[in-house]
Amino acid sequence: MTISNGGSVDLRSDTLTRPTAAMRRAMAEALVGDDVYREDPTVNALEERVAELFGHEAALFVPSGTMGNQIGLRLVCEPGQEVLGDADAHVLTYEMGAAAALFGLSSRTVVSEGGRLSADQLIAQVRPHGDWHLTATAAIAVENTHNRGGGLVQPLAELERLFEWSRTAGVNVHLDGARVFNASVASGVPLSTYGRLADTASVCLSKGLGAPVGSVLVAGAERIAAARLWRKRLGGGMRQVGVLAAAAAYALGHHLDRLAEDHEHARLLAERLGVDPATVETNMVVVDDVPAPAVAEAARAQGVLVGQVSARRVRLVTHLDVDRAGVEHAAKVLTQVIGDLAGR
Ligand code: TLP
């Protein structure tokens, strides 16, 4: 059984993966230069590769998904304009009000069914430009897979309909693609398709793909030139960062197809825990109606770490550092812990 952090099976998040030995070798051997001067060949190569994968002109390596998202939003939204998104969207829920705090962007939300995108629901809420009362909707943020939606893959037809509509409406679409690689592996929809359905997209190498750090923002060349300035302003101009880009490139080259294994592990966990398998589309399992803090504490005592989303919900995320034996062990511990707590 592969053990992750501190000898436990750590299902709190796929952000917890540690670089493998082979990834560390790639990092050690990376050619580097000062990336603020754009002289780091490993970063330049990574940016070109990710831009191409998503069918965009250019890309920018950034330290985190949060920075990728927030710069992405700033590129498509001016201060005083609004971003429209799902009420559970990571960009509006977990990024500490960054769009407002840093950029003066307003936001508005729709409550969707478990994070599932409905183009019509969003379109109905868009407010026009040029009205002297209204806050103009400049951008719509979509998330694929959807984190608080338990890793659900957004329906392609809805993404297509929204993007098509946005072309005539003068509204931009930003994709929070922290786990778009999981979406693509699960749905078979190419990354380039997801890419072409967004004006700006932030994709993470440090989630399921297993790089220790790093996300990439993709967009048109002009927008990425502006993004480079924003990144520097925010203190995200990194120097010999090819050591991290090498990990990201390694992850892309070696850990993409294996995401299917994480998805299978998530289904297995769900099955063992009596969670409806239809709710498991990628690498997350949401267990509802359990006393989350007590479950987390009792499971931790037996070496299984789970995420607490709310008082009655825990989240299990499968990833590179949890193998089949780890999943089996976690299923056994959690079945017992949840059963014991229910019996009390
Ligand atoms: N999500 C983290 C926590 O912030 C909740 C996790 O453990 O799932 N977009 C999405 C959809 C995300 O899930 C995350 C991370 C981010 C953006 C932010 O990425 P980082 O942590 O690199 O800033």
Side-chain angles (χ1 to χ4, degrees):
M1 178 166 90
T2 307
I3 48 171
S4 39
N5 303 336
S8 311
V9 178
D10 198 337
L11 297 167
R12 287 174 299 170
S13 184
D14 49 9
T15 58
L16 286 142
T17 53
R18 291 160 306 166
T20 61
M23 184 184 278
R24 285 171 189 266
R25 277 195 295 279
M27 295 169 77
E29 287 161 12
L31 293 176
V32 297
D34 190 325
D35 182 48
V36 171
Y37 289 76
R38 304 190 65 177
E39 288 173 6
D40 189 305
T42 309
V43 173
N44 293 341
L46 176 73
E47 289 175 346
E48 265 174 45
R49 183 166 163 201
V50 176
E52 198 183 317
L53 267 180
F54 286 90
H56 276 264
E57 284 174 349
L60 186 72
F61 190 49
V62 291
S64 67
T66 300
M67 193 185 284
N69 276 335
Q70 294 302 325
I71 295 178
L73 291 179
R74 179 60 187 88
L75 295 176
V76 291
C77 211
E78 292 299 315
Q81 294 185 325
E82 89 184 356
V83 179
L84 180 64
D86 171 60
D88 270 331
H90 195 284
V91 291
L92 304 173
T93 308
Y94 286 132
E95 298 185 11
M96 307 180 74
L102 300 174
F103 301 137
L105 306 186
S106 185
S107 60
R108 204 150 47 89
T109 56
V110 299
V111 177
S112 67
E113 231 176 86
R116 193 170 300 274
L117 179 88
S118 155
D120 285 340
Q121 189 191 22
L122 287 162
I123 292 167
Q125 294 304 321
V126 167
R127 289 174 172 155
H129 293 248
D131 183 289
W132 59 63
H133 293 112
L134 297 175
T135 309
T137 311
I140 296 178
V142 303
E143 187 173 317
N144 197 14
T145 65
H146 197 287
N147 182 338
R148 285 175 65 90
L152 79 78
V153 179
Q154 298 297 0
L156 182 60
E158 295 298 311
L159 290 168
E160 278 172 338
R161 163 142 172 66
L162 181 69
F163 192 71
E164 204 176 294
W165 170 86
S166 71
R167 297 310 86 183
T168 54
V171 173
N172 288 292
V173 174
H174 171 75
L175 167 66
D176 176 353
R179 296 188 180 82
V180 71
F181 298 103
N182 296 82
S184 173
V185 166
S187 65
V189 174
L191 295 170
S192 57
T193 301
Y194 286 136
R196 86 173 156 72
L197 297 175
D199 296 284
T200 51
S202 171
V203 305
C204 292
L205 289 317
S206 64
K207 307 286 180 300
L209 291 184
V213 177
S215 296
V216 176
L217 178 64
V218 299
E222 258 180 54
R223 285 198 169 120
I224 292 298
R228 203 171 280 284
L229 305 184
W230 280 114
R231 184 185 65 173
K232 190 71 174 65
R233 255 180 217 127
L234 292 171
M238 301 174 284
R239 302 293 179 170
Q240 288 71 26
V241 70
V243 285
L244 294 179
Y250 183 91
L252 262 181
H254 295 84
H255 296 163
L256 182 52
D257 294 339
R258 65 152 305 287
L259 291 175
E261 204 179 301
D262 296 342
H263 301 170
E264 196 190 311
H265 286 161
R267 281 194 298 272
L268 180 71
L269 263 177
E271 208 176 278
R272 296 282 161 85
L273 296 174
V275 171
D276 180 0
T279 63
V280 180
E281 297 187 26
T282 55
N283 67 333
M284 294 188 187
V285 181
V286 169
V287 188
D288 272 323
D289 299 324
V290 292
V295 169
E297 195 191 323
R300 183 183 276 270
Q302 297 193 58
V304 176
L305 275 56
V306 303
Q308 299 176 52
V309 180
S310 69
R312 300 286 299 165
R313 170 177 288 191
V314 298
R315 180 184 81 158
L316 316 172
V317 187
T318 54
H319 54 76
L320 189 59
D321 282 1
V322 180
D323 63 9
R324 171 93 187 202
V327 168
E328 300 274 5
H329 176 65
K332 211 167 105 201
V333 166
L334 288 168
T335 309
Q336 179 234 312
V337 159
I338 293 170
D340 284 357
L341 286 166
R344 254 188 235 164

